[in-house]
Amino acid sequence: MGEAHVSIILGVAIGSALGTMLRYSVLNTWSAKSKYFTAVFIVNMVGSFALGYLMAIGATYAMHSFWTTGVIAGLTTFSTMMTQSGQYTRGQQAWYLAWQIIFGMIFFSAGTALITIL
């Protein structure tokens, strides 16, 4: 394995540790009683926006890997979203998951559009 690969893997590992710690902080700070804008929703939307932004700027491979595969992947969460949706009735689950997907696409598009506008 080349030196460049080791630095990319190390960058992804450090980035995911940072993203995971950030998610942990948000989940423990945000009110658990929020009905619509849960902490999981917030971190997923921030991650979607950031991913759209990063995809649009075309960062170098090493930096792109650090931010996308590292920080953003550590920040966002699919499994917690699915577990959290299990606390709702069947109809509420469908809406909760649909809103996550719809707003995720909107936030991703907004991140991309920000670069094209600037």
PDB file of all heavy atoms in Angstrom, residues 46-62:
ATOM      1  N   VAL A  46     -27.772  18.621   7.802  1.00  0.00           N
ATOM      2  CA  VAL A  46     -26.474  19.306   7.739  1.00  0.00           C
ATOM      3  C   VAL A  46     -25.509  18.488   6.879  1.00  0.00           C
ATOM      4  O   VAL A  46     -24.793  19.029   6.030  1.00  0.00           O
ATOM      5  CB  VAL A  46     -25.900  19.541   9.157  1.00  0.00           C
ATOM      6  CG1 VAL A  46     -24.446  19.977   9.110  1.00  0.00           C
ATOM      7  CG2 VAL A  46     -26.744  20.567   9.899  1.00  0.00           C
ATOM      8  N   GLY A  47     -25.514  17.179   7.080  1.00  0.00           N
ATOM      9  CA  GLY A  47     -24.657  16.305   6.278  1.00  0.00           C
ATOM     10  C   GLY A  47     -25.021  16.323   4.812  1.00  0.00           C
ATOM     11  O   GLY A  47     -24.150  16.344   3.939  1.00  0.00           O
ATOM     12  N   SER A  48     -26.310  16.337   4.503  1.00  0.00           N
ATOM     13  CA  SER A  48     -26.755  16.384   3.105  1.00  0.00           C
ATOM     14  C   SER A  48     -26.323  17.686   2.441  1.00  0.00           C
ATOM     15  O   SER A  48     -25.828  17.683   1.310  1.00  0.00           O
ATOM     16  CB  SER A  48     -28.281  16.253   3.034  1.00  0.00           C
ATOM     17  OG  SER A  48     -28.680  14.987   3.470  1.00  0.00           O
ATOM     18  N   PHE A  49     -26.499  18.798   3.151  1.00  0.00           N
ATOM     19  CA  PHE A  49     -26.087  20.096   2.611  1.00  0.00           C
ATOM     20  C   PHE A  49     -24.574  20.125   2.379  1.00  0.00           C
ATOM     21  O   PHE A  49     -24.112  20.531   1.312  1.00  0.00           O
ATOM     22  CB  PHE A  49     -26.491  21.220   3.571  1.00  0.00           C
ATOM     23  CG  PHE A  49     -26.099  22.576   3.092  1.00  0.00           C
ATOM     24  CD1 PHE A  49     -26.932  23.275   2.226  1.00  0.00           C
ATOM     25  CD2 PHE A  49     -24.917  23.164   3.483  1.00  0.00           C
ATOM     26  CE1 PHE A  49     -26.576  24.536   1.758  1.00  0.00           C
ATOM     27  CE2 PHE A  49     -24.543  24.423   3.024  1.00  0.00           C
ATOM     28  CZ  PHE A  49     -25.379  25.112   2.168  1.00  0.00           C
ATOM     29  N   ALA A  50     -23.826  19.673   3.367  1.00  0.00           N
ATOM     30  CA  ALA A  50     -22.360  19.678   3.265  1.00  0.00           C
ATOM     31  C   ALA A  50     -21.889  18.774   2.125  1.00  0.00           C
ATOM     32  O   ALA A  50     -20.960  19.112   1.393  1.00  0.00           O
ATOM     33  CB  ALA A  50     -21.733  19.244   4.586  1.00  0.00           C
ATOM     34  N   LEU A  51     -22.533  17.629   1.955  1.00  0.00           N
ATOM     35  CA  LEU A  51     -22.156  16.732   0.870  1.00  0.00           C
ATOM     36  C   LEU A  51     -22.422  17.374  -0.489  1.00  0.00           C
ATOM     37  O   LEU A  51     -21.590  17.293  -1.397  1.00  0.00           O
ATOM     38  CB  LEU A  51     -22.886  15.397   0.991  1.00  0.00           C
ATOM     39  CG  LEU A  51     -22.491  14.334  -0.017  1.00  0.00           C
ATOM     40  CD1 LEU A  51     -21.008  13.994   0.104  1.00  0.00           C
ATOM     41  CD2 LEU A  51     -23.326  13.089   0.184  1.00  0.00           C
ATOM     42  N   GLY A  52     -23.569  18.030  -0.630  1.00  0.00           N
ATOM     43  CA  GLY A  52     -23.865  18.734  -1.882  1.00  0.00           C
ATOM     44  C   GLY A  52     -22.843  19.814  -2.169  1.00  0.00           C
ATOM     45  O   GLY A  52     -22.362  19.966  -3.295  1.00  0.00           O
ATOM     46  N   TYR A  53     -22.473  20.552  -1.140  1.00  0.00           N
ATOM     47  CA  TYR A  53     -21.468  21.606  -1.266  1.00  0.00           C
ATOM     48  C   TYR A  53     -20.127  21.026  -1.703  1.00  0.00           C
ATOM     49  O   TYR A  53     -19.500  21.513  -2.636  1.00  0.00           O
ATOM     50  CB  TYR A  53     -21.339  22.337   0.075  1.00  0.00           C
ATOM     51  CG  TYR A  53     -20.298  23.414   0.089  1.00  0.00           C
ATOM     52  CD1 TYR A  53     -20.602  24.689  -0.356  1.00  0.00           C
ATOM     53  CD2 TYR A  53     -19.009  23.173   0.547  1.00  0.00           C
ATOM     54  CE1 TYR A  53     -19.654  25.698  -0.350  1.00  0.00           C
ATOM     55  CE2 TYR A  53     -18.046  24.163   0.556  1.00  0.00           C
ATOM     56  CZ  TYR A  53     -18.378  25.429   0.109  1.00  0.00           C
ATOM     57  OH  TYR A  53     -17.432  26.415   0.119  1.00  0.00           O
ATOM     58  N   LEU A  54     -19.689  19.966  -1.022  1.00  0.00           N
ATOM     59  CA  LEU A  54     -18.398  19.365  -1.337  1.00  0.00           C
ATOM     60  C   LEU A  54     -18.364  18.725  -2.718  1.00  0.00           C
ATOM     61  O   LEU A  54     -17.350  18.757  -3.401  1.00  0.00           O
ATOM     62  CB  LEU A  54     -18.013  18.341  -0.273  1.00  0.00           C
ATOM     63  CG  LEU A  54     -17.644  18.944   1.078  1.00  0.00           C
ATOM     64  CD1 LEU A  54     -17.568  17.871   2.142  1.00  0.00           C
ATOM     65  CD2 LEU A  54     -16.338  19.706   0.978  1.00  0.00           C
ATOM     66  N   MET A  55     -19.469  18.139  -3.117  1.00  0.00           N
ATOM     67  CA  MET A  55     -19.519  17.552  -4.451  1.00  0.00           C
ATOM     68  C   MET A  55     -19.404  18.636  -5.517  1.00  0.00           C
ATOM     69  O   MET A  55     -18.798  18.430  -6.563  1.00  0.00           O
ATOM     70  CB  MET A  55     -20.823  16.770  -4.651  1.00  0.00           C
ATOM     71  CG  MET A  55     -20.966  15.568  -3.736  1.00  0.00           C
ATOM     72  SD  MET A  55     -19.722  14.313  -3.969  1.00  0.00           S
ATOM     73  CE  MET A  55     -20.274  13.570  -5.473  1.00  0.00           C
ATOM     74  N   ALA A  56     -19.964  19.804  -5.243  1.00  0.00           N
ATOM     75  CA  ALA A  56     -19.949  20.885  -6.227  1.00  0.00           C
ATOM     76  C   ALA A  56     -18.579  21.558  -6.345  1.00  0.00           C
ATOM     77  O   ALA A  56     -18.199  21.983  -7.434  1.00  0.00           O
ATOM     78  CB  ALA A  56     -21.006  21.932  -5.876  1.00  0.00           C
ATOM     79  N   ILE A  57     -17.831  21.640  -5.245  1.00  0.00           N
ATOM     80  CA  ILE A  57     -16.532  22.321  -5.330  1.00  0.00           C
ATOM     81  C   ILE A  57     -15.444  21.429  -5.890  1.00  0.00           C
ATOM     82  O   ILE A  57     -14.406  21.924  -6.319  1.00  0.00           O
ATOM     83  CB  ILE A  57     -16.074  22.908  -3.970  1.00  0.00           C
ATOM     84  CG1 ILE A  57     -15.817  21.810  -2.939  1.00  0.00           C
ATOM     85  CG2 ILE A  57     -17.040  23.944  -3.464  1.00  0.00           C
ATOM     86  CD1 ILE A  57     -15.135  22.313  -1.683  1.00  0.00           C
ATOM     87  N   GLY A  58     -15.675  20.119  -5.893  1.00  0.00           N
ATOM     88  CA  GLY A  58     -14.689  19.200  -6.464  1.00  0.00           C
ATOM     89  C   GLY A  58     -13.359  19.239  -5.736  1.00  0.00           C
ATOM     90  O   GLY A  58     -12.320  19.475  -6.341  1.00  0.00           O
ATOM     91  N   ALA A  59     -13.395  19.011  -4.441  1.00  0.00           N
ATOM     92  CA  ALA A  59     -12.170  19.019  -3.634  1.00  0.00           C
ATOM     93  C   ALA A  59     -11.206  17.931  -4.098  1.00  0.00           C
ATOM     94  O   ALA A  59     -11.600  16.973  -4.762  1.00  0.00           O
ATOM     95  CB  ALA A  59     -12.523  18.810  -2.166  1.00  0.00           C
ATOM     96  N   THR A  60      -9.938  18.081  -3.742  1.00  0.00           N
ATOM     97  CA  THR A  60      -8.952  17.053  -4.075  1.00  0.00           C
ATOM     98  C   THR A  60      -9.367  15.733  -3.444  1.00  0.00           C
ATOM     99  O   THR A  60     -10.118  15.707  -2.467  1.00  0.00           O
ATOM    100  CB  THR A  60      -7.556  17.448  -3.559  1.00  0.00           C
ATOM    101  OG1 THR A  60      -7.597  17.510  -2.142  1.00  0.00           O
ATOM    102  CG2 THR A  60      -7.105  18.767  -4.144  1.00  0.00           C
ATOM    103  N   TYR A  61      -8.870  14.641  -3.981  1.00  0.00           N
ATOM    104  CA  TYR A  61      -9.294  13.316  -3.527  1.00  0.00           C
ATOM    105  C   TYR A  61      -9.070  13.114  -2.028  1.00  0.00           C
ATOM    106  O   TYR A  61      -9.955  12.630  -1.334  1.00  0.00           O
ATOM    107  CB  TYR A  61      -8.577  12.232  -4.330  1.00  0.00           C
ATOM    108  CG  TYR A  61      -9.056  10.849  -3.982  1.00  0.00           C
ATOM    109  CD1 TYR A  61     -10.322  10.427  -4.369  1.00  0.00           C
ATOM    110  CD2 TYR A  61      -8.259   9.982  -3.247  1.00  0.00           C
ATOM    111  CE1 TYR A  61     -10.779   9.162  -4.046  1.00  0.00           C
ATOM    112  CE2 TYR A  61      -8.704   8.717  -2.920  1.00  0.00           C
ATOM    113  CZ  TYR A  61      -9.960   8.312  -3.318  1.00  0.00           C
ATOM    114  OH  TYR A  61     -10.408   7.073  -2.986  1.00  0.00           O
ATOM    115  N   ALA A  62      -7.909  13.497  -1.521  1.00  0.00           N
ATOM    116  CA  ALA A  62      -7.613  13.291  -0.104  1.00  0.00           C
ATOM    117  C   ALA A  62      -8.549  14.121   0.772  1.00  0.00           C
ATOM    118  O   ALA A  62      -9.113  13.618   1.743  1.00  0.00           O
ATOM    119  CB  ALA A  62      -6.158  13.628   0.197  1.00  0.00           C
TER     120      ALA A  62
END
